[in-house]
Amino acid sequence: MKTISSLLDEHWHERYRKISRLNIRSSIYDVTNRCNLRCKGCFFFSSNEHKAAPEETDVAEWEAFVDREMERGVNLAILIGGEPTLCLDRVEAFYKRLPTFCASNGLIKVPRDRFPDLMVGISLWGDEQDERVLRGRDTFAISSKNYEGDPYTYYLFTITPKQIGRTERIIRKIRDAGLKVHMQLLSNDEGVSGFSWKPGELTAIRAEMDAMLDAYPETVISSKYYHEVITTGMMLGRPFGWMECPSVTQPLDKRDPAPKHLTNFIRWASDLKTMHRCCTSETRDCSTCKDGAAHMSWVMVNKRAHMASTRDLQNWIEVYEMFAKLYKFLPW
Ligand code: SF4
Ligand code: SF4
């Protein structure tokens, strides 16, 4: 095994040192079972996870729960739903205690007087046309007004196969709204016609994602290695899937042999007792899962495998930096 020092020059070594101090330990929380949208392909509703458990409504219970989570070592809370902004008291129970990221569709603005530096990731599913088909409305028109120029917000742009050749216009609109963007790929959980990826399309979108990163480095938070891994589903010759996925709830994880996984990771339902299988859908076929965070984590937990060459380790560092930037552990 080669050593970090033998693989990296001083510049890369310094970058490595910065991330090696972070020790990010995240878990994911369903804040509510409700949403003000019903997107076709939302993993939460399509797999009936919104019916897995009744919502805990007592905010004091949420506060005590977050305290217990911190004792468990969690230092990054990722809030999803449903739509977390429907329950701001619950969001506040996390935000007052630890670094918190809130995934939102952006239709309701998080009040910045109450949550000045809460990280918000706004979901966006393509252009106006795609969004009307998949989400019932053009959410960007509303969310971009709500969050224009906000330094703690970025778009989580879920690219569909229909976006090939059309992503630049969206990325420019995001730049012009003074916001950042991170890209991932749609997993077509409800089999909507025309929205499943074909191999040639994945090759094309990888080239386009690379080109967007080159053309808009101030706006796009990404890395080319991440584009490679998410579009090919391969990392160092290994295929992504159930036996490799790092984002599986640890107490439920009976895989043998156990793969590298996120330390103490749990995705909690909104009753604060029930656990979901993984960071996405209980019913999703892992062989077609395109979840961006799971792929990023897959790279991040496999540092040793990236120590065969300087380029591999640099790729690993870039993915780790990207993740840290998305959750504001490193500045943009
Ligand atoms: S906005 Fe998010 S939580 Fe709501 S239905 Fe769409 S994908 Fe699901
Ligand atoms: S659905 Fe995706 S995130 Fe969930 S276990 Fe399978 S590969 Fe991992």
Side-chain angles (χ1 to χ4, degrees):
M1 179 63 66
K2 293 173 179 148
T3 62
I4 303 277
S5 323
S6 68
L7 289 166
L8 301 179
D9 65 16
E10 190 40 43
H11 164 75
W12 279 94
H13 206 169
E14 182 50 29
R15 287 171 68 167
Y16 172 78
R17 270 195 289 270
K18 276 195 183 131
I19 54 178
S20 60
R21 285 185 212 120
L22 296 177
N23 194 20
I24 302 171
R25 297 206 170 167
S26 60
S27 277
I28 299 185
Y29 307 88
D30 293 352
V31 171
T32 171
N33 296 335
R34 293 163 288 136
C35 189
N36 45 6
L37 282 180
R38 175 58 179 93
C39 310
K40 287 182 192 144
C42 167
F43 68 74
F44 188 62
F45 291 103
S46 67
S47 62
N48 275 332
E49 284 178 345
H50 64 301
K51 294 183 181 158
E55 290 185 31
E56 173 57 63
T57 54
D58 181 349
V59 175
E61 291 293 332
W62 284 82
E63 290 170 342
F65 169 78
V66 179
D67 288 339
R68 291 197 298 277
E69 285 296 276
M70 291 169 71
E71 279 163 26
R72 209 166 61 73
V74 173
N75 62 10
L76 170 63
I78 298 176
L79 309 187
I80 61 168
E83 174 53 49
T85 60
L86 295 174
C87 304
L88 289 175
D89 287 350
R90 300 176 198 171
V91 174
E92 196 170 40
F94 289 92
Y95 174 71
K96 277 186 171 164
R97 289 167 172 76
L98 80 169
T100 301
F101 169 85
C102 177
S104 172
N105 57 35
L107 296 179
I108 298 170
K109 184 174 165 42
V110 166
R112 284 303 187 192
D113 49 351
R114 193 169 165 196
F115 301 94
D117 58 358
L118 175 72
M119 284 298 297
V120 179
I122 305 177
S123 53
L124 175 69
W125 289 28
D127 61 7
E128 302 84 346
Q129 217 175 319
D130 274 13
E131 284 230 300
R132 279 193 204 101
V133 172
L134 294 170
R135 316 186 82 185
R137 63 196 292 187
D138 167 16
T139 66
F140 184 83
I142 300 162
S143 60
S144 58
K145 282 203 182 67
N146 280 343
Y147 286 93
E148 193 170 8
D150 189 307
Y152 295 99
T153 300
Y154 66 85
Y155 274 98
L156 185 54
F157 181 12
T158 300
I159 298 174
T160 79
K162 291 186 189 294
Q163 291 301 307
I164 297 169
R166 289 157 62 190
T167 59
E168 183 163 15
R169 191 176 64 85
I170 312 258
I171 288 170
R172 278 215 204 105
K173 280 169 64 171
I174 293 171
R175 179 199 62 187
D176 295 346
L179 296 165
K180 309 279 185 198
V181 60
H182 172 67
M183 300 175 280
Q184 66 164 7
L185 304 180
L186 182 78
S187 301
N188 189 7
D189 286 333
E190 289 177 84
V192 187
S193 172
F195 285 88
S196 295
W197 291 98
K198 299 187 188 80
E201 292 171 336
L202 289 164
T203 309
I205 203 65
R206 174 180 169 187
E208 189 165 333
M209 289 162 91
D210 285 355
M212 290 303 103
L213 179 57
D214 285 339
Y216 302 95
E218 302 300 319
T219 301
V220 176
I221 300 172
S222 205
S223 92
K224 290 187 182 174
Y225 185 53
Y226 164 71
H227 300 164
E228 177 190 332
V229 170
I230 199 160
T231 55
T232 61
M234 300 290 290
M235 179 188 73
L236 304 171
R238 287 151 50 179
F240 185 71
W242 170 247
M243 284 315 291
E244 289 271 341
C245 182
S247 303
V248 174
T249 288
Q250 218 168 345
L252 304 180
D253 190 358
K254 306 285 181 262
R255 289 173 294 178
D256 184 20
K260 297 256 183 235
H261 50 72
L262 298 174
T263 309
N264 292 351
F265 173 82
I266 296 177
R267 173 156 162 247
W268 291 99
S270 61
D271 64 348
L272 310 180
K273 297 183 186 80
T274 305
M275 297 176 190
H276 294 300
R277 175 185 74 167
C278 69
C279 67
T280 68
S281 160
E282 203 99 22
T283 55
R284 180 180 286 179
D285 174 358
C286 297
S287 66
T288 58
C289 179
K290 291 265 164 258
D291 186 71
H295 282 75
M296 268 183 255
S297 303
W298 187 36
V299 173
M300 288 161 66
V301 299
N302 281 289
K303 181 175 84 178
R304 282 191 171 275
H306 287 84
M307 287 180 63
S309 75
T310 295
R311 187 62 251 172
D312 288 336
L313 188 55
Q314 289 171 343
N315 284 339
W316 181 87
I317 290 171
E318 285 183 348
V319 169
Y320 206 115
E321 286 175 340
M322 173 181 70
F323 185 90
K325 283 178 187 171
L326 291 173
Y327 297 101
K328 272 276 161 107
F329 282 78
L330 287 179
W332 284 336

